[in-house]
Amino acid sequence: MAQAAAVAKPPTPPRRRRASATPRRLPYLLIAPAALLMLGFIAYPVLSVFYYSLQDYNPTKPWRNGFAGFDNFTRIFTEDPLFWDTLVFSAKWVFVEVGLQLLFGLALALIVNQTFVGRALGRALVFSPWAVSGVLTSAIWVLLYNSQTGITRYLADMGIGDYGVSWLSDTSTVFPAVVVADLWRGVPFFAILILADLQSVSRDLYEAAEVDGASRFKQFLHITLPHLKDAIILSTLLRAVWEFNNVDLLYTLTGGGPAGETTTLPLYIANTSVDAHDFGYASALTTVAFVILLFCSMVYLRLSKFGGEK
């Protein structure tokens, strides 16, 4: 019996149960329907634009439709001066608008971040233009710039300027006029994002800086701005893309005029597709605009070191 017990096999250890893969896959399964839906809404239009950019497609001239290869792109860079004119104006528009919106948005955020009587009302007034739709914003400024009932009429009543002057029809005043109109809508975007980041700055940093004798300007330069770095980079990038693609405001206020002075590249694309029905060439223009935006965004994020040390 002792020998039998000695040679008996040791008990088999219990088998480990394999962890089920379902819990790990469950989050992906839950978001799969929404992801597929978004992919369909995004991928199909993008791929369609790439496809039609290689085609001659004009519904009003079906006998000319067919594969064009890279002819549309050759036409853009060698035969279309409007492309370069609208691209230069788009760059000017984005630089001026984003720069001024950032400057005024930062100033407003710093003001409404202070403690004062009526701060809640002040914040509501600052942020309210962002809640107004683009179409309604355009309608408001069309009425304000009306030569018979708008700003110029009241200025003429006070002896400033002449009656019947239209700032949107004069090449010397149309750019500042549309810039002011878009500033009214765009400044709250920067103010909202910057204010949200300002409220996360620890007051201990400012108190320590005051003890060390740092002035308000030095506190802003060495504490506030470094903390706002990522918020400023992200907000300027998003706003630059939106301003580049701005169509509704400029189309409603000026239609790209006078004499094409306010025609951006997206507005030129809209006119080419909707008015001229040249969807193949418009798709090629859209593809070029997409590549330009993608390249500029990557370079901007690279140079600004977004997400790096503050």
Side-chain angles (χ1 to χ4, degrees):
M1 293 291 295
Q3 293 180 353
V7 299
K9 293 182 179 181
T12 304
R15 293 183 178 180
R16 293 183 178 179
R17 298 181 62 183
R18 295 183 60 185
S20 175
T22 303
R24 294 198 302 269
R25 297 176 182 175
L26 184 60
Y28 302 100
L29 294 176
L30 292 176
I31 67 173
L36 292 175
L37 197 61
M38 290 181 60
L39 183 63
F41 277 105
I42 295 175
Y44 176 74
V46 170
L47 295 177
S48 296
V49 168
F50 290 158
Y51 170 77
Y52 283 111
S53 67
L54 303 175
Q55 307 289 323
D56 280 327
Y57 183 67
N58 189 330
T60 63
K61 300 176 182 179
W63 58 88
R64 295 186 179 179
N65 294 345
F67 182 72
F70 293 99
D71 291 347
N72 288 327
F73 295 97
T74 303
R75 176 183 166 190
I76 290 173
F77 294 108
T78 61
E79 303 175 13
D80 189 358
L82 288 177
F83 166 75
W84 297 106
D85 293 341
T86 56
L87 183 60
V88 170
F89 177 76
S90 297
K92 175 184 175 182
W93 170 259
V94 170
F95 180 79
V96 172
E97 277 294 340
V98 175
L100 291 177
Q101 289 177 21
L102 173 61
L103 181 64
F104 289 117
L106 177 60
L108 283 176
L110 292 173
I111 292 173
V112 297
N113 190 47
Q114 304 300 316
T115 302
F116 56 89
V117 178
R119 184 174 68 170
L121 178 61
R123 288 182 175 181
L125 292 176
V126 168
F127 301 152
S128 58
W130 184 246
V132 181
S133 67
V135 176
L136 185 56
T137 299
S138 302
I140 292 172
W141 285 95
V142 165
L143 294 175
L144 288 175
Y145 287 142
N146 188 283
S147 60
Q148 302 300 321
T149 60
I151 299 173
T152 55
R153 171 62 183 272
Y154 291 101
L155 291 177
D157 291 339
M158 294 185 294
I160 304 174
D162 301 323
Y163 289 99
V165 175
S166 176
W167 290 346
L168 297 177
S169 301
D170 190 339
T171 56
S172 63
T173 58
V174 63
F175 183 71
V178 294
V179 164
V180 170
D182 200 56
L183 280 177
W184 183 80
R185 181 177 63 171
V187 166
F189 170 77
F190 282 96
I192 293 170
L193 290 184
I194 293 175
L195 177 62
D197 210 24
L198 276 175
Q199 293 179 330
S200 64
V201 182
S202 175
R203 298 301 307 175
D204 295 339
L205 296 175
Y206 294 105
E207 293 174 359
E210 289 179 359
V211 171
D212 292 338
S215 63
R216 286 290 185 90
F217 178 74
K218 288 185 177 180
Q219 293 178 29
F220 172 76
L221 195 63
H222 297 289
I223 298 177
T224 305
L225 273 185
H227 187 86
L228 296 177
K229 173 190 171 185
D230 286 346
I232 291 176
I233 293 173
L234 182 60
S235 59
T236 51
L237 177 61
L238 291 176
R239 197 62 190 160
V241 173
W242 292 343
E243 289 298 344
F244 184 88
N245 293 317
N246 190 333
V247 172
D248 55 351
L249 183 73
L250 291 173
Y251 183 81
T252 306
L253 290 179
T254 66
E261 287 290 324
T262 58
T263 302
T264 58
L265 181 56
L267 185 55
Y268 177 45
I269 294 172
N271 292 333
T272 302
S273 58
V274 176
D275 297 337
H277 305 289
D278 194 350
F279 292 98
Y281 189 62
S283 297
L285 288 169
T286 304
T287 302
V288 173
F290 171 79
V291 173
I292 291 173
L293 281 178
L294 181 62
F295 175 77
C296 292
S297 300
M298 293 173 62
V299 170
Y300 178 69
L301 291 176
R302 180 72 175 179
L303 294 178
S304 62
K305 299 179 181 179
F306 176 72
E309 294 183 0
K310 298 181 181 180

